[in-house]
C-alpha cells in the first residue's frame, strides 16, 4: 500500500490578514483528499508563535469571518535547523514531530506571502508549495512588481510610490494631474484590499497618507 504524503498546512501569522489566513486554511483543509494525504496543522498565532493544532478543533467560530480565531493551544513548536527529520520540536516534551514531506503555506500578508516563510523553509530544506522566495517577495511588493513589469514592457496602470516621510513632495494636486481623480492609496506590502482608501481631495489625501 502506498504511504500517504504528510502534508503540513501552515497558517495564521502575524500580519493584519491573520483571519483571512484562517479562513483560507479552513477551505484548504476541507478540500484535501484524506486518502492521499496525512494532514499536520501548524498554526502561527498573532505573536508569531508556532503551535501544533488539533485537526478537528483548531478554530473557534469557524463559520463567522468576523469572529474566526485560533483555538487555544499549549502545544508549542520550535524549529531546529540542520536535520529535516527533526525540524519541528514539541516544546513541552522536546520530542520531534514526524517529518513532513511538503508544507503548504496558507499565509497572507507580511511574514507569509513576502518570501520570509519561503526563505525559512528553503533554509530548512523542506519542500513547499507556491511561489519561490524571489517570486513571493516581488509579488508582495507592489512597487517593485510594477517597476519590473514596466521594464519588461508589460502594460500597467499609472502609479506613483508615496512615502510618509516626505509629504511635502507629494502634493495632491500634482498627483491628481498625473493620475486623475479619484485617487486610490494602498500599502505597497499588504495583500488583498487591506488598507485601500479612495481619496477625492487634499484633506482625505493627507488623512490616509
Amino acid at each position: 500500500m502506498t504511504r500517504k504524503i504528510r502534508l503540513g498546512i501552515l497558517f495564521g501569522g502575524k500580519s493584519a490578514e491573520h483571519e483571512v489566513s484562517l479562513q483560507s486554511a479552513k477551505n484548504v483543509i476541507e478540500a484535501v483528499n484524506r486518502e492521499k494525504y496525512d494532514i499536520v496543522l501548524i498554526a502561527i498565532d498573532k505573536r508569531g508563535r508556532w503551535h501544533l493544532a488539533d485537526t478537528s478543533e483548531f478554530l473557534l467560530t469557524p463559520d463567522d469571518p468576523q469572529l474566526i480565531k485560533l483555538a487555544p493551544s499549549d502545544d508549542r513548536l520550535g524549529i531546529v535547523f540542520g536535520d529535516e527529520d527533526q525540524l519541528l520540536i514539541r516544546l513541552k516534551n522536546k520530542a520531534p514531530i514526524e517529518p513532513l514531506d511538503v508544507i503548504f503555506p496558507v499565509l497572507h500578508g507580511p511574514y507569509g506571502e513576502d518570501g520570509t516563510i519561503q526563505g525559512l523553509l528553503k533554509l530548512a530544506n523542506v519542500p513547499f508549495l507556491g511561489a519561490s522566495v524571489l517570486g513571493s517577495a516581488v509579488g508582495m511588493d507592489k512597487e517593485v512588481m510594477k517597476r519590473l513589469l514596466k521594464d519588461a514592457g508589460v502594460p500597467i496602470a499609472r502609479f506613483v510610490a508615496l512615502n510618509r516621510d516626505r509629504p511635502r513632495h507629494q502634493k495632491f494636486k500634482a498627483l491628481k494631474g498625473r493620475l486623475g481623480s479619484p485617487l486610490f492609496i494602498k500599502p505597497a506590502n499588504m495583500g488583498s484590499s487591506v488598507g485601500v482608501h479612495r481619496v477625492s481631495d487634499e484633506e482625505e489625501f493627507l488623512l490616509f497618507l
Side-chain angles (χ1 to χ4, degrees):
M1 183 176 178
T2 304
R3 181 181 70 87
K4 289 185 180 181
I5 297 171
R6 279 180 60 79
L7 173 65
I9 298 180
L10 186 61
F11 61 97
K14 295 169 60 176
S15 85
E17 297 179 74
H18 176 90
E19 287 76 14
V20 179
S21 174
L22 301 186
Q23 187 67 52
S24 295
K26 175 178 176 287
N27 295 337
V28 169
I29 292 162
E30 290 174 351
V32 169
N33 184 347
R34 300 303 180 93
E35 295 183 0
K36 185 175 181 181
Y37 298 96
D38 273 334
I39 294 177
V40 178
L41 302 186
I42 304 169
I44 304 176
D45 65 25
K46 290 186 175 183
R47 293 176 58 185
R49 299 173 301 184
W50 292 36
H51 304 262
L52 190 62
D54 186 327
T55 55
S56 59
E57 297 179 348
F58 66 100
L59 294 175
L60 299 178
T61 57
D63 297 321
D64 189 334
Q66 301 298 320
L67 299 176
I68 190 171
K69 60 182 178 179
L70 287 174
S73 169
D74 61 356
D75 201 353
R76 296 270 305 279
L77 291 174
I79 305 173
V80 179
F81 290 97
D83 187 347
E84 295 95 73
D85 291 338
Q86 299 189 46
L87 174 66
L88 293 172
I89 305 293
R90 300 174 82 163
L91 297 183
K92 64 182 179 182
N93 59 10
K94 303 299 188 290
I97 70 170
E98 188 178 338
L100 302 173
D101 294 307
V102 62
I103 285 183
F104 188 166
V106 190
L107 295 160
H108 294 272
Y111 312 109
E113 280 188 281
D114 57 358
T116 50
I117 286 292
Q118 290 76 12
L120 183 149
L121 297 175
K122 192 83 171 177
L123 285 171
N125 201 30
V126 177
F128 59 91
L129 303 178
S132 66
V133 177
L134 179 60
S136 299
V138 168
M140 188 68 188
D141 192 308
K142 278 58 176 182
E143 181 186 2
V144 171
M145 179 186 67
K146 283 182 173 292
R147 293 188 186 282
L148 290 175
L149 291 174
K150 183 178 179 180
D151 288 346
V154 177
I156 61 171
R158 291 172 295 166
F159 75 98
V160 173
L162 305 180
N163 190 318
R164 286 178 189 257
D165 296 331
R166 300 192 301 272
R168 293 181 181 179
H169 302 290
Q170 297 160 1
K171 298 295 185 181
F172 174 79
K173 290 182 180 179
L175 290 172
K176 181 179 177 181
R178 291 180 61 180
L179 303 177
S181 180
L183 299 175
F184 290 87
I185 299 176
K186 185 186 191 309
N189 285 285
M190 290 297 290
S192 304
S193 58
V194 175
V196 174
H197 298 288
R198 179 182 186 273
V199 299
S200 301
D201 55 44
E202 186 146 12
E203 183 178 354
E204 290 180 335
F205 175 74
L206 294 175
L207 177 64
F208 293 120
L209 181 60

